[in-house]
Amino acid sequence: MRIIANILSLIQYLETLKDKPGFLRLEKCTCCGKANPWFHGFYPRKADRGSQPGESLNPILIQRFFCPDCGRTSSVLPECIPPKRWYLWDIQQAALLILLAGNSLNATSKKIMPSRHTIKRWLIRLKEQFFLHKDVLCNHFIELGRTVSYIDFWQTFFKTNLLSAAMHLCHTAGILIP
């Protein structure tokens, strides 16, 4: 899988897919590194969970590429869509901001769409990988090195950055995305 940076909304992704499909093309296989894997169609993804049923952009088509050398298939995701998650990064960031402001899981789930259990799972995974994420992000954002706690770190980061950008940097560095 490859994540394309700076595609921050589903509409922007769909426009890029329509107007500049070559921009989203894989130049090399993400598994073996061989050049020019073959375009292998699309798979549908229900990424637009925040819209009303009649206004939804679903299904979002995600490009796939096949490498004839290693026999593997890779996909190309825009930065706004997290891998293996139902909700977009901006929804996850909104939930985390509410939690970091001191709200409980119950209060957060009443203000934003996902259930309390989903939000709790996001928080646990983010906390488990905090030190790995901090190492990667401090290399790009020096001011984060002055933060002391998990809460201080993410509050400082979110003042000027997006969760999707953080996870893209971590993915590029080879760190698991929670």
Side-chain angles (χ1 to χ4, degrees), residues 102-119:
N103 289 286
S104 68
L105 286 168
N106 284 333
T108 302
S109 67
K110 289 177 183 174
K111 293 179 182 180
I112 196 159
M113 183 182 3
S115 71
R116 181 178 63 84
H117 298 289
T118 298
I119 295 169

Side-chain angles (χ1 to χ4, degrees), residues 14-163:
L14 293 173
E15 289 172 356
T16 303
L17 195 59
K18 178 183 163 198
D19 299 337
K20 298 183 262 180
F23 177 73
L24 302 172
R25 182 159 180 42
L26 276 181
E27 295 174 6
K28 60 183 181 177
C29 177
T30 57
C31 299
C32 71
K34 286 286 195 174
N36 300 318
W38 302 343
F39 175 69
H40 193 56
F42 298 93
Y43 71 89
R45 177 117 183 236
K46 292 182 180 179
D48 190 9
R49 297 188 182 275
S51 298
Q52 298 299 324
E55 301 169 4
S56 175
L57 299 172
N58 288 331
I60 303 295
L61 297 177
I62 305 297
Q63 286 187 334
R64 295 170 22 137
F65 294 90
F66 173 77
C67 178
D69 288 348
C70 69
R72 294 197 172 203
T73 304
S74 299
S75 59
V76 178
L77 286 177
E79 182 179 311
C80 63
I81 299 177
K84 301 177 185 176
R85 294 265 181 112
W86 279 24
Y87 295 97
L88 298 177
W89 287 122
D90 60 350
I91 293 173
Q92 294 177 54
Q93 181 173 339
L96 291 171
L97 284 169
I98 294 168
L99 285 170
L100 292 172
N103 289 286
S104 68
L105 286 168
N106 284 333
T108 302
S109 67
K110 289 177 183 174
K111 293 179 182 180
I112 196 159
M113 183 182 3
S115 71
R116 181 178 63 84
H117 298 289
T118 298
I119 295 169
K120 182 179 180 181
R121 191 173 55 249
W122 293 344
L123 186 63
I124 289 169
R125 288 180 183 163
L126 202 62
K127 282 182 178 180
E128 286 174 349
Q129 294 188 331
F130 170 63
F131 291 107
L132 295 172
H133 294 155
K134 184 176 181 180
D135 286 345
V136 170
L137 296 175
C138 283
N139 288 329
H140 296 277
F141 306 99
I142 297 167
E143 70 277 4
L144 294 175
R146 293 187 288 265
T147 60
V148 179
S149 69
Y150 166 85
I151 292 172
D152 187 31
F153 176 86
W154 285 112
Q155 284 177 333
T156 302
F157 182 83
F158 288 146
K159 286 179 186 175
T160 56
N161 300 291
L162 299 173
L163 181 61

